[in-house]
Amino acid sequence: LGFDDIKFLTNSIASDKNIAVLLFKKYTPSLGKAEPGEIALCEYYICSNPSYFAALDFANILNYDFHVPAQHTKDIKLKPLAIKSGGRVGLNSLYYHEDYGSFINMQCVLITADLPKDNEINTHTECELCGACIKACPTKAITFDGFTQKKCLRDMMSEGIPIRSRRKVYQLLGCDKCQTCCPMNDETRKEPETFDIQSVLKGEQTRHLKELAGKNSATRTRLITQTICYAVSKRDKKALAQINQLTTDDQSEIIKDFAKWGKKELEKIK
């Protein structure tokens, strides 16, 4: 199935499914830097999309091939379950696997079966509280008092990035700065998956990005608005003509609003 770790835990969420099978897939984050005229895609989504479908396949195999009642679920909070098996939670609120750190995707399949379960751990290793993530967070979502989700750039991307944070966008679909600076994570990095800015703005990469990152994450609106933000942050005046066209020709009012902002900001550049 391609997962790197599987853990079987007692499930107290759904009474008819007595075991929660946690599936962990690790990934290597990218350097996050693209060549001029290009934008990088967050590696998390490249990992999470195939992991989601692999977990669905696992549940179907159990149901139809082995006649074990199984249900892939997104409706339960995975972090409280995962912490029972070890690992830790950082100041950034993310779960850190004991071997792979926070660069993981977690999926869960609930099953009814008489299987041995992994030992649950009542205590877990705490965050080192070094403060690196506090300094790295571009929107000040993390303090020593904890994490404020509504301030997180990745969370903002779901609703529409406010003007004050638009210049903070440095890649498509996500922010990893609190993780890439963290000493509890491995320092290995890979070259990013990048896309031509003009091509993304024209919608020519939407289908491919949906295939890579998932149709629910890589919506056309998110891709284009975030690329506009990135073009402004990089002072990419070559994108101005295409952004200007979006101000009048696009059917989405959200995209038009971002395009008008982007046009105004790029026109200020001498």
Side-chain angles (χ1 to χ4, degrees):
L1 293 171
F3 290 98
D4 297 292
D5 192 15
I6 300 179
K7 295 183 178 181
F8 298 84
L9 299 168
T10 301
N11 171 50
S12 59
I13 308 297
S15 58
D16 61 331
K17 303 288 189 296
N18 64 338
I19 296 178
V21 184
L22 288 185
L23 307 164
F24 299 87
K25 177 64 178 177
K26 65 179 180 179
Y27 67 94
T28 301
S30 76
L31 296 168
K33 296 181 180 180
E35 294 294 324
E38 296 185 341
I39 184 170
L41 174 63
C42 178
E43 289 292 330
Y44 171 80
Y45 295 95
I46 299 175
C47 169
S48 66
N49 188 45
S51 295
Y52 171 80
F53 288 104
L56 279 178
D57 288 343
F58 177 56
N60 288 332
I61 289 170
L62 291 175
N63 276 310
Y64 300 114
D65 293 353
F66 295 95
H67 306 292
V68 173
Q71 172 191 358
H72 175 250
T73 180
K74 299 187 296 180
D75 298 330
I76 64 174
K77 294 181 179 180
L78 299 184
K79 192 163 35 179
L81 275 174
I83 206 68
K84 291 182 179 180
S85 66
R88 65 179 85 182
V89 175
L91 270 178
N92 55 12
S93 87
L94 296 174
Y95 171 74
Y96 285 71
H97 187 277
E98 60 269 30
D99 294 325
Y100 309 131
S102 65
F103 295 124
I104 54 168
N105 176 257
M106 287 190 291
Q107 301 289 331
C108 182
V109 173
L110 302 177
I111 67 174
T112 301
D114 185 16
L115 293 173
K117 304 176 186 68
D118 290 300
N119 293 328
E120 293 187 6
I121 299 173
N122 294 322
T123 58
H124 59 274
T125 307
E126 298 292 341
C127 172
E128 294 178 4
L129 300 177
C130 67
C133 59
I134 296 175
K135 296 177 182 178
C137 180
T139 54
K140 310 301 179 187
I142 309 168
T143 69
F144 280 112
D145 293 325
F147 170 73
T148 304
Q149 184 172 343
K150 67 180 181 179
K151 291 184 178 180
C152 176
L153 186 59
R154 178 175 288 185
D155 191 66
M156 291 177 189
M157 290 180 179
S158 299
E159 301 297 330
I161 304 168
I163 290 176
R164 67 179 182 277
S165 300
R166 290 178 184 178
R167 292 177 180 270
K168 307 293 185 181
V169 174
Y170 69 96
Q171 62 180 1
L172 280 173
L173 304 181
C175 177
D176 300 318
K177 289 187 179 292
C178 66
Q179 299 180 77
T180 53
C181 72
C182 180
M184 298 189 295
N185 275 326
D186 189 282
E187 295 183 358
T188 305
R189 302 290 182 266
K190 61 181 289 188
E191 290 297 321
E193 187 87 25
T194 61
F195 299 85
D196 178 73
I197 288 175
Q198 302 270 4
S199 185
V200 176
L201 291 173
K202 291 176 182 177
E204 296 172 347
Q205 297 292 340
T206 301
R207 181 175 178 179
H208 181 42
L209 282 160
K210 284 180 181 290
E211 291 172 351
L212 275 178
K215 63 181 181 179
N216 292 331
S217 297
T219 65
R220 179 177 179 273
T221 299
R222 284 182 185 171
L223 296 174
I224 293 178
T225 57
Q226 289 174 31
T227 302
I228 292 171
C229 294
Y230 180 78
V232 170
S233 73
K234 291 298 181 181
R235 302 170 63 87
D236 185 359
K237 291 201 72 172
K238 292 181 179 179
L240 181 56
Q242 185 58 39
I243 290 174
N244 183 46
Q245 186 174 339
L246 290 170
T247 64
T248 56
D249 294 355
D250 203 85
Q251 295 181 349
S252 166
E253 292 301 320
I254 296 174
I255 290 176
K256 283 183 179 179
D257 176 71
F258 272 76
K260 289 174 183 176
W261 168 82
K263 176 176 180 287
K264 180 180 177 181
E265 294 302 310
L266 288 172
E267 286 179 338
K268 293 178 183 178
I269 300 172
K270 302 296 184 180

